[in-house]
Amino acid sequence: MFCTLILSEKREAAERIARALDDSGTPKKLVEHGVPYFEAMQKNRQILVVPAIGHLYNIAPERGGRFYYPVFNILWKPTSQGSRETHVRNWIKAISSLSKEASEFISATDYDIEGEVIGYTILKYACGNKEANAKRMTFSTLTMIELRDAFQKLSSNIDFKLAEAGETRHIIDFLWGVNLSRALTLAVKNWGKGFAILSTGRVQAPTLRFLVDREKEIQSYVPTPYWEVHAKARIGGKFYEIEFEESKLDSEDMARKIVEACLGREGLVEDVDTRIFKQSPPTPFDIGTLQAEAYKLFGFTPSRTLTIAERLYLDALISYPRTSSQKFPPQINCREIIMSLQKSREYAAFASELLKKRDLKPNEGNRDDPAHPAIHPTGDLPEKIRDSSQLKIFDLIVKRFFAVFSSPAIKEGIRITIKVNENTFFLHGRRIISEGWLRFYEPYGQADEVILPTLEKEQKITITEVSSKEKYTAPPPRYNPASLLKMMDDEHLGTKATRANIIDTLYQRGYLREERMAVTELGFNVIETLEEYASGILSVDFTRNLEDKMETIEKGGGRKEEILIEAVQRLKTILEDLKNREEPIGEELGNAARRARVDESVVGICPVCKTGNLLIIHSMKTGKRFIGCSNFAKGLCNASFPLPQSPYTVKSLKRNCKVCRWPMVLVKSRKRQPWNLCLNPYCPTKEHQRRV
Amino acid sequence: MKLCPICDRKAEGEYCNLHETAYKNIVQMFEKWQSSKGIDWKEYLGRIEVNPNSGSWVLEVCKYLLSREETS
């Protein structure tokens, strides 16, 4: 019997493919070397659908130990990551063994740069050089119809250009990451007074530099005073805030004079300016805009949103989320999707209203992605979703999908100019004439109306209050995950697939803390040291240029070898600089790492002696951790408090309890939600626990 | 090697480069504060030391400058 082997990226996708292709819709679930796979039957054809578990092969050094560098000789090796290693080996064994039965090979991994590399490496190394003859199955949703259609329209080859672009990216990122990280780590190790695993990379370093530059602005910010003039007007029995024409006044004297001139005076309406404007519907979601919107609305980090969106994709509820497109190509039957969504009670009314339109035209954005359309619902409805985060993202995607087909919102903006003894004030109002897309995007779109009474020119108004208020200028805000993602996108740093991970890595390495992305001392020192001794790593232009060149491979213009040579030559120069200055680099980074460790263990000022610091201490004798005062060694304070032990992890929160003002720590475990623990055993917040 | 009197890092001039930037900003903004509030240098330092919008390096430099003024 003719046997076809289909490679998919994940187990859920493999099962869906097998179900779509099996004549009876009930494929057999089988196991090989502990690896689940699916057998679908079609007349005289046996189709084996085998999942992978992400990358089964990764770039690795040809030789050398953990700290060996420089590394330039590399090869693709089975992924080795601790306990995952055995798992991956079994997976490779299973795929190799099943490939022996197959006479046709199809790659059905996610159709993007990473998916193509996953398929290419498995076909080449696990299946024994089958990449040249393998076919490609491409789809953007895991619905039965699209999968069957994709199987009928197989490409005769895998996308070699995409695979080559992916391979180039893997090689460059590996060489830069491993060599630079080892150079920094070894510099500290060879300094001989400490040890710290430090990391940097081609995208990580310029991204961190942006954050450091912003942090420098904030930490060295000197506020300056300014004054605002506030006034209230009574119109038709209601009170309205009116704004002085200059929002910031430089001198208190000027503000006082304006207040004095206006107090007890009547206002006169000088002008009523009404403008009607259209607010176009939003554009369809690409992954970046979805991540930014989910952060704004629900506070989800970009990586969390991506994980949730991928789950929804595997459940065939939405299209492939790792897309840069803000367009819906004509082959997507949007009307049919809306008709399917009409079956849901929640979406029925909106869907019916849209379906009345003869022409469904989306308000598309500028960005395009040849591989996948903008993120959209498939029309399948979520029966299984129990997770509230998944429901939130699904609802957001559906409502956005509705909104993009809707009509613009029509708003009226009113600006009333009021003269009070020669001083100009404004009263602003907003009114919605037609809700348009805002209604479809509720509760995510904001109507923010300010309704004003009808006023006419020369009308007199009673001014009830005039006052001035002293304020201070504020530093620029810190980046948050959404704004950082946008900045990386604007600067061409990383790709849509890697940006969220890079942000996570900056946290894991201890370069950032808190949601508002405050740079730690270690983060500062790494960037400062690189700026001083190897500024080439931080060049945004170089990273952006390399990114653009890698994209040309995808489009068939660039050559892998040329780009690799350029990247490696640049890397060699940087590594030489680092090696020549290893001693001062090691000393500066070693000291920084030591300071960072001390800083990490400080919980706050000791509430008992008021002069020492409370520290998280690990007992050499028992191996247990507890809180102790830094004045203990001087014999001045013996305050100590117990802490939860392993498997809990404890981190300093750097803030005090709102009730008793004692320092607090953050306690985390795998199985429970993290919680904030006040160190005061008699804190009123623990009253309930004590009674229990 | 000269050290920053505030944080013990390597100092190029009087301070390390981080506190130097903060110091320069403090000096630069004094004129604005002086013209809008008519206060002297010491009072200015005291005001920005308690301002919640001041950066942490600015606060450290202020503290240092004020303590130096007190001892001199």
Side-chain angles (χ1 to χ4, degrees):
Chain A
M1 195 187 287
F2 190 77
C3 176
T4 299
L5 183 96
I6 299 183
L7 283 175
S8 114
E9 205 165 309
K10 292 183 185 77
R11 203 193 68 82
E12 295 88 337
E15 190 171 355
R16 283 191 176 273
I17 294 169
R19 220 185 304 152
L21 302 184
D22 187 76
D23 283 341
S24 64
T26 50
K28 262 193 213 164
K29 187 182 170 186
L30 303 165
V31 175
E32 176 82 19
H33 290 289
V35 173
Y37 69 101
F38 302 88
E39 184 191 53
M41 298 304 293
Q42 285 188 344
K43 288 183 188 159
N44 292 325
R45 188 182 201 179
Q46 180 196 26
I47 301 171
L48 304 178
V49 192
V50 194
I53 36 167
H55 283 280
L56 294 186
Y57 293 88
N58 262 333
I59 298 284
E62 205 173 81
R63 68 189 179 90
R66 201 173 153 206
F67 293 115
Y68 178 86
Y69 102 101
V71 174
F72 289 111
N73 295 330
I74 46 158
L75 70 166
W76 285 99
K77 272 186 183 173
T79 308
S80 58
Q81 273 175 7
S83 61
R84 199 169 171 245
E85 194 171 344
T86 339
H87 206 41
V88 168
R89 283 189 196 285
N90 284 342
W91 227 274
I92 291 172
K93 265 189 213 166
I95 294 176
S96 295
S97 144
L98 293 170
S99 72
K100 285 178 188 129
E101 297 171 27
S103 34
E104 184 188 42
F105 292 84
I106 298 170
S107 173
T109 50
D110 294 344
Y111 189 43
D112 61 10
I113 204 162
E114 292 305 316
E116 208 59 42
V117 173
I118 290 171
Y120 169 80
T121 49
I122 295 175
L123 287 163
K124 189 175 174 71
Y125 301 109
C127 302
N129 298 316
K130 292 292 188 298
E131 76 284 3
N133 306 319
K135 292 175 181 166
R136 187 66 163 102
M137 186 173 160
T138 56
F139 42 86
S140 291
T141 69
L142 289 172
T143 56
M144 297 291 147
I145 299 170
E146 186 162 348
L147 290 173
R148 282 179 199 138
D149 191 50
F151 190 67
Q152 293 304 316
K153 295 175 185 164
L154 292 173
S155 311
S156 52
N157 292 104
I158 62 166
D159 191 333
F160 283 105
K161 283 176 202 158
L162 200 57
E164 194 177 326
E167 192 178 17
T168 312
R169 185 181 295 280
H170 272 258
I171 294 171
I172 292 175
D173 285 349
F174 176 80
L175 291 178
W176 276 65
V178 81
N179 282 304
L180 295 173
S181 299
R182 285 182 184 183
L184 298 185
T185 304
L186 272 178
V188 176
K189 190 169 177 261
N190 294 342
W191 172 55
K193 292 180 191 170
F195 181 73
I197 301 246
L198 297 168
S199 87
T200 187
R202 187 179 62 83
V203 184
Q204 203 189 104
T207 307
L208 183 58
R209 190 201 198 158
F210 270 103
L211 291 156
V212 164
D213 286 348
R214 176 61 58 90
E215 192 70 32
K216 278 183 181 172
E217 271 184 78
I218 295 168
Q219 302 301 1
S220 55
Y221 188 79
V222 178
T224 52
Y226 67 91
W227 285 262
E228 281 178 357
V229 173
H230 293 270
K232 269 188 184 169
R234 194 173 64 219
I235 310 165
K238 279 190 174 177
F239 291 92
Y240 295 87
E241 282 269 352
I242 57 174
E243 295 165 17
F244 186 64
E245 62 180 332
E246 279 178 64
S247 57
K248 287 179 182 177
L249 295 165
D250 281 341
S251 99
E252 190 173 13
D253 196 38
M254 204 188 291
R256 200 183 54 242
K257 279 179 184 160
I258 293 163
V259 173
E260 282 169 3
C262 298
L263 266 177
R265 297 293 187 120
E266 246 181 4
L268 192 71
V269 175
E270 192 186 63
D271 190 27
V272 179
D273 183 17
T274 307
R275 281 181 199 172
I276 306 283
F277 61 95
K278 278 184 185 177
Q279 193 179 359
S280 297
T283 53
F285 276 137
D286 59 33
I287 186 60
T289 47
L290 172 66
Q291 286 169 318
E293 192 80 332
Y295 178 77
K296 190 178 90 182
L297 296 167
F298 315 128
F300 292 174
T301 60
S303 55
R304 185 174 175 198
T305 301
L306 183 61
T307 309
I308 296 169
E310 279 179 339
R311 184 67 253 167
L312 294 170
Y313 163 71
L314 289 171
D315 288 339
L317 295 172
I318 64 162
S319 61
Y320 189 63
R322 289 183 197 240
T323 176
S324 306
S325 176
Q326 296 175 331
K327 295 180 193 295
F328 296 128
Q331 55 269 34
I332 295 176
N333 192 337
C334 296
R335 186 171 286 275
E336 210 166 87
I337 294 172
I338 297 171
M339 278 165 73
S340 303
L341 292 168
Q342 199 182 13
K343 290 172 200 157
S344 148
R345 209 170 37 184
E346 199 174 337
Y347 304 127
F350 293 133
S352 307
E353 199 176 323
L354 279 180
L355 289 169
K356 281 182 201 154
K357 284 187 164 196
R358 190 183 292 173
D359 192 20
L360 278 174
K361 204 168 169 258
N363 180 41
E364 292 181 326
N366 295 326
R367 292 180 176 201
D368 205 357
D369 185 335
H372 295 283
I375 301 169
H376 61 276
T378 60
D380 286 6
L381 291 165
E383 285 164 17
K384 280 190 227 160
I385 297 186
R386 288 190 195 96
D387 183 287
S388 66
S389 317
Q390 284 180 30
L391 269 176
K392 279 180 181 166
I393 297 290
F394 179 75
D395 187 60
L396 179 64
I397 291 170
V398 171
K399 288 185 173 162
R400 181 77 160 214
F401 183 68
F402 285 154
V404 299
F405 289 101
S406 181
S407 47
I410 299 171
K411 293 183 176 177
E412 183 189 61
I414 306 163
R415 191 179 78 164
I416 297 165
T417 311
I418 300 165
K419 281 274 182 192
V420 186
N421 193 16
E422 298 302 309
N423 292 297
T424 309
F425 288 81
F426 296 116
L427 176 58
H428 291 278
R430 275 180 308 278
R431 192 168 68 87
I432 289 173
I433 295 173
S434 162
E435 276 186 306
W437 64 271
L438 283 169
R439 204 160 52 80
F440 290 82
Y441 203 45
E442 262 177 9
Y444 311 121
Q446 283 177 351
D448 63 343
E449 282 191 311
V450 181
I451 308 290
L452 298 182
T454 313
L455 286 169
E456 282 173 16
K457 272 189 188 180
E458 306 297 324
Q459 188 173 332
K460 285 181 179 170
I461 286 171
T462 314
I463 305 298
T464 56
E465 260 181 65
V466 190
S467 61
S468 70
K469 198 172 183 186
E470 185 180 348
K471 290 200 165 178
Y472 295 91
T473 55
R478 287 201 172 89
Y479 285 103
N480 60 42
S483 60
L484 183 63
L485 212 60
K486 188 176 178 305
M487 183 279 292
M488 289 171 84
D489 194 12
D490 293 344
E491 297 291 336
H492 287 224
L493 291 173
T495 68
K496 58 182 184 280
T498 57
R499 285 178 194 131
N501 284 340
I502 287 163
I503 298 175
D504 283 354
T505 308
L506 291 173
Y507 276 104
Q508 283 158 16
R509 297 286 177 256
Y511 298 156
L512 298 181
R513 63 181 158 80
E514 296 166 16
E515 192 188 39
R516 289 301 290 187
M517 301 192 150
V519 181
T520 61
E521 190 168 343
L522 186 61
F524 263 113
N525 283 286
V526 168
I527 291 300
E528 275 195 338
T529 310
L530 293 177
E531 255 169 8
E532 191 170 349
Y533 301 108
S535 58
I537 304 174
L538 302 170
S539 166
V540 177
D541 283 343
F542 173 72
T543 305
R544 188 191 299 139
N545 190 15
L546 206 60
E547 214 66 68
D548 292 344
K549 282 183 178 167
M550 283 191 275
E551 263 179 39
T552 62
I553 304 179
E554 238 175 284
K555 291 170 186 156
R559 285 189 55 225
K560 176 180 144 191
E561 290 74 17
E562 281 172 16
I563 296 166
L564 280 177
I565 287 168
E566 188 191 333
V568 167
Q569 271 171 352
R570 174 96 179 199
L571 175 63
K572 275 186 175 171
T573 318
I574 293 170
L575 286 175
E576 275 163 19
D577 281 350
L578 288 174
K579 191 71 199 165
N580 291 337
R581 296 154 180 188
E582 195 179 73
E583 219 178 292
I585 292 173
E587 187 181 343
E588 281 179 32
L589 289 178
N591 279 324
R594 199 158 50 183
R595 281 196 298 266
R597 268 197 293 272
V598 172
D599 185 55
E600 237 173 59
S601 67
V602 176
V603 175
I605 301 284
C606 175
V608 178
C609 69
K610 315 266 193 249
T611 54
N613 278 322
L614 287 186
L615 306 168
I616 300 173
I617 300 167
H618 286 86
S619 161
M620 301 279 269
K621 207 169 154 189
T622 62
K624 293 193 172 178
R625 64 173 162 235
F626 62 98
I627 296 279
C629 179
S630 58
N631 276 342
F632 177 77
K634 297 174 200 162
L636 300 173
C637 180
N638 60 359
S640 74
F641 308 95
L643 281 175
Q645 303 299 321
S646 180
Y648 296 103
T649 58
V650 178
K651 257 174 90 175
S652 166
L653 261 176
K654 308 270 181 222
R655 64 165 193 255
N656 292 345
C657 172
K658 280 179 187 163
V659 179
C660 69
R661 312 302 307 159
W662 276 48
M664 295 178 85
V665 290
L666 176 73
V667 186
K668 277 184 177 178
S669 86
R670 278 190 181 178
K671 290 180 184 169
R672 282 184 60 177
Q673 286 278 328
W675 76 95
N676 298 341
L677 175 72
C678 172
L679 295 178
N680 181 3
Y682 301 103
C683 176
T685 57
K686 295 177 181 171
E687 192 58 40
H688 172 70
Q689 285 172 358
R690 267 198 301 277
R691 267 188 268 134
V692 172
Chain B
M1 187 175 65
K2 201 177 167 193
L3 296 177
C4 173
I6 299 170
C7 64
D8 284 350
R9 283 167 196 253
K10 193 171 72 183
E12 299 289 332
E14 189 174 354
Y15 306 103
C16 68
N17 58 353
L18 305 180
H19 288 110
E20 185 67 33
T21 316
Y23 176 71
K24 279 182 184 161
N25 284 351
I26 293 172
V27 172
Q28 200 188 336
M29 290 302 163
F30 176 51
E31 207 180 316
K32 203 161 187 189
W33 275 77
Q34 214 179 13
S35 70
S36 62
K37 305 213 51 126
I39 52 173
D40 65 12
W41 174 249
K42 201 175 167 187
E43 199 183 346
Y44 164 63
L45 293 178
R47 294 278 188 101
I48 52 174
E49 200 199 354
V50 294
N51 194 301
N53 291 353
S54 297
S56 63
W57 302 333
V58 168
L59 299 182
E60 286 162 358
V61 175
C62 277
K63 262 192 197 122
Y64 172 73
L65 292 172
L66 283 167
S67 68
R68 209 171 58 174
E69 290 224 347
E70 272 166 24
T71 51
S72 66

